[in-house]
Amino acid sequence: MSDQPGTSKDKPSTSSAHQMPENAAPQQPPSAADAATRQADQIEILAREAEELRKKLDQERQKLNDIPIQQAAERLDPLPNLGIKQRRILKGHAGKVLCMDWSQDKRHIVSSSQDGKVIVWDAFTTNKEHALTMPTTWVMACAYSPSSQLIACGGLDNKCCVVPLSFEEDIIQKKRNVATHTSYMSCCMFLRSDNLLLTGSGDSTCAIWDVESGQMIQNFHGHTGDVFAIDMPKSDTGNTFISAGADKHSLVWDIRTGQCVQSFEGHEADINTVRFHPNGDAFATGSDDATCRLFDLRADRQVCVYEKESILFPVNGVDFSLSGRILFAGYGDYRVGVWDSLKCTRHSVLYGHENRISSLRTSPDGTAICSASWDCTIRIWA
Amino acid sequence: MHFKLDALMRRLLEGVQLKSHKYFRITVPQALTGTQLVSLLMDKGHFDDDTEAAHMASVLISYGYLFNVMEENPVVKDDNSLYRIQRPYFWPSHCVVTDNVEYAIYLNKRLLRNEEKHGLEPEEVEHFNRLAELLAHMWQFITQQAEMQLKYQKEKKKQDKVVFDSEERAFWRLRKPGVQNALEQHVQKTERKIRKANTKDYRSLVDRLKFSLKTKPWLKALKASDTMVSWVEQRSDYDPFLTQPHPSNPWLTDDTTLWTLNTDTVEVPTERRVKRWGLSIQELVLETFLESEFSSENIRFWIAVQDLKASPNEQIESKMERIYDEFLGPGAPAQVNVDSRTLEQTIDCIKNADTPAARRHAFSNSEEHVFTLMAKDSYPRFVKSQIYKGVLSAAQQQGNKRLGWRNFVFNMGATKKPLGSKQPKSQANRDESGSSNQPLPKQLSSDSLPVRPHVK
């Protein structure tokens, strides 16, 4: 529960910055060079210890003599013909669309693009309801609040701001900065309420912020590279979330303590996207290594790789269907792959986008998926 | 990624048979038709079908690995259009960045040659003029380079010259400096940085590994997979991609009835929704409906704690006090069923909570305890209960929409405990709409509620 003093250079700037000098003070090294060598030695010892522990763990796991998930899924019928087609196309962005999120009303969508625009759509009618211009390019992340009354967005400006949605006034006037990182903000989401915001950043940290006051409530150090994606389980009592990024690791965090409680590896390149399985006990990741992977939290291991020799492009967005049976993956080769998540085979491919897909999300009631792309469009498939 | 594309392209180069094709009256050397290209890709790329191979070919064009010889169409079709494989020298893996000087040399070369064949497009003239201004200080070098390259090229065979010209032209068509192309990177990929893990990172890693070794918290993957498979199987009836939703999927039919039927304020929940409550406690907890559940104080405590966790910083203190006074403190009016040890831990946490995060989660011991209690005890009772069955059967009679399910459930709760603060705001309308009141099943009256009786 104690907030451990981190290395100060990795700490995102906080509104409660007065804590930092206290933390830094007691660590005055007698001689800088001396301390450096000592630290290097220590790191080496610890690295070796970690390696050994990891080997032991692997041995223990092997003793379990497990079967792959495909085998457990053998008794299931193969997926039927799904007949998924493009049902809507949202045109209006002039730049690459980088991120999108569904409203809980199942039909509204917020999207953000590289040219600094944030648009709120009624996807069902394809009408634009709000359009905001942010003071930055590359708005990498946007999110709808659970009440659908707020949106959050940010990106290259290192900030995440919140805008209330209303038709009465010019809403951009109501924009408020909530979060500030020391590098770009790559992903954000509300934490089960309009009052809490979770962000991930290029400064390799994640943080939870109090929306009202803009104070940081908790921060999460542990990644050794940029954080590209975060997610939390839909149906849980709500004390964990996962993050992943350039260090190829997915980390599971305890919201209460700020500690990393589990970590998963396996990808060979940057992880661009993570999404919880609807059962809350597993999650899927998509990576620059052109694979998606499924990790099980209870089994504490990777249970499946979704890959094909013919797939060579990065995965930028993954999500599950409502039951978790289908895994949708948006690729850098402009296509959406439809995978049988249990039998680990690719079921079909959705063609339509004319540039890479940047983000993909299933609607809250599972009736459709939405993909955003660098071709400046957003498409709804059902 | 380029590494993988290069490998695929090398396989193509090995397997390809290039020859001269007639395109109307022009001879096109070292080319292949769309049909040949697609079948070559099928052969070397392990694609599922021709559509996939043709799509891949189009993507390869946008990355500059292939190009269309006669026109600028970026979409590859399975037909007689002619394509060439780009010279590896011009692959994006080899030419990572292009600069103005190279482009200026190339344009200069074109100008020095036969105007009819190599003349510049209007757009290129513009580029040339701009570059001449920009690079005036080194223009002599640029013209020299262009002349030298031309002299060198003159020694080649005519056919090779034609091919090289087209390759070079295709390359610059795609890679003009300052013009966007498929190779552009996401800014987060160009900004990304990896730092070395420090002692603290390693310490926490070691601690984590030690912890998993000690507790072996993992399930057998077999068991985990099995539960996941059954979980998914159970829910496939509710997955709109697998089972057509009733009455229809709005995105397909433009009919939003499905959404209207499933809003929180609806009179009768749909049968599927009610059935889903029967699947797990979490499905149910998500439904605000549970507030009226009959084992009142536990659920109210749990919901209050959820609310606390999600509250703005400002309200945390007062909400903490209220929860403590109502559910945990000595003489609390709605004492929750927590054993003394958990209670002590919780009180400790409350006392020691000095950060906003700690305060928010001070009740987590008790919360977990109560949740387990509900999941193991109240919830199975709920599923077996008459309320659940009553609502379910109401839902099944889709025709009778005026039952006002929430109404009767809430009213029953009211006899046992004061209603929670989140009582449906639209109760009044509901009463009106519920006027066609179907007679409630008798056993749903509050005194026959199976709350206490089900003691094992």
Side-chain angles (χ1 to χ4, degrees), chain A residues 104-139:
Chain A
Q104 286 302 319
D105 72 4
K106 301 148 196 151
R107 59 187 284 170
H108 281 80
I109 281 175
V110 61
S111 63
S112 64
S113 64
Q114 180 244 324
D115 60 4
K117 283 275 191 307
V118 175
I119 300 182
V120 175
W121 313 77
D122 180 347
F124 194 68
T125 59
T126 72
N127 290 333
K128 277 183 265 198
E129 293 193 348
H130 301 280
L132 310 174
T133 309
M134 303 301 290
T136 175
T137 55
W138 294 93
V139 186

Side-chain angles (χ1 to χ4, degrees), chain A residues 61 79 100 110 131 149 153-154 215 241 269 303 310 332 362 370 381:
Chain A
R61 283 210 188 95
L79 282 178
M100 57 80 39
V110 61
Q149 284 165 1
C153 53
Q215 280 169 353
F241 76 95
V303 285
S310 59
T362 308
C370 175
W381 315 76

Side-chain angles (χ1 to χ4, degrees), chain B residues 207-224:
Chain B
D207 285 349
R208 222 154 55 218
L209 290 169
K210 274 188 182 151
F211 182 74
S212 6
L213 255 177
K214 204 170 85 195
T215 59
K216 290 191 200 139
W218 62 81
L219 270 174
K220 254 183 105 141
L222 167 64
K223 181 84 192 314

Side-chain angles (χ1 to χ4, degrees), chain A residues 1 45 61 73 82 86 132 135 142 184 189 204 234 236 265 275 279 292 297 299 302 312 336 339 350 353 382:
Chain A
M1 213 138 297
I45 293 166
R61 283 210 188 95
L82 300 171
Q86 182 180 314
L132 310 174
C142 57
Y184 62 87
M189 66 197 302
S204 79
K234 226 197 257 176
D236 191 17
E265 47 197 310
R275 200 69 173 145
N279 73 5
C292 303
L297 296 171
Q302 174 181 309
L312 307 172
V336 176
W339 292 84
L350 308 177
H353 278 297

Side-chain angles (χ1 to χ4, degrees), chain A residues 223 270 272 298 321 323 333, chain B residues 55 189 192 218-219 239:
Chain A
H223 277 291
D270 298 8
N272 298 321
R298 297 161 309 170
S321 72
S323 67
D333 63 6
Chain B
H55 178 82
K189 299 289 177 188
R192 78 190 267 281
W218 62 81
L219 270 174
D239 186 335

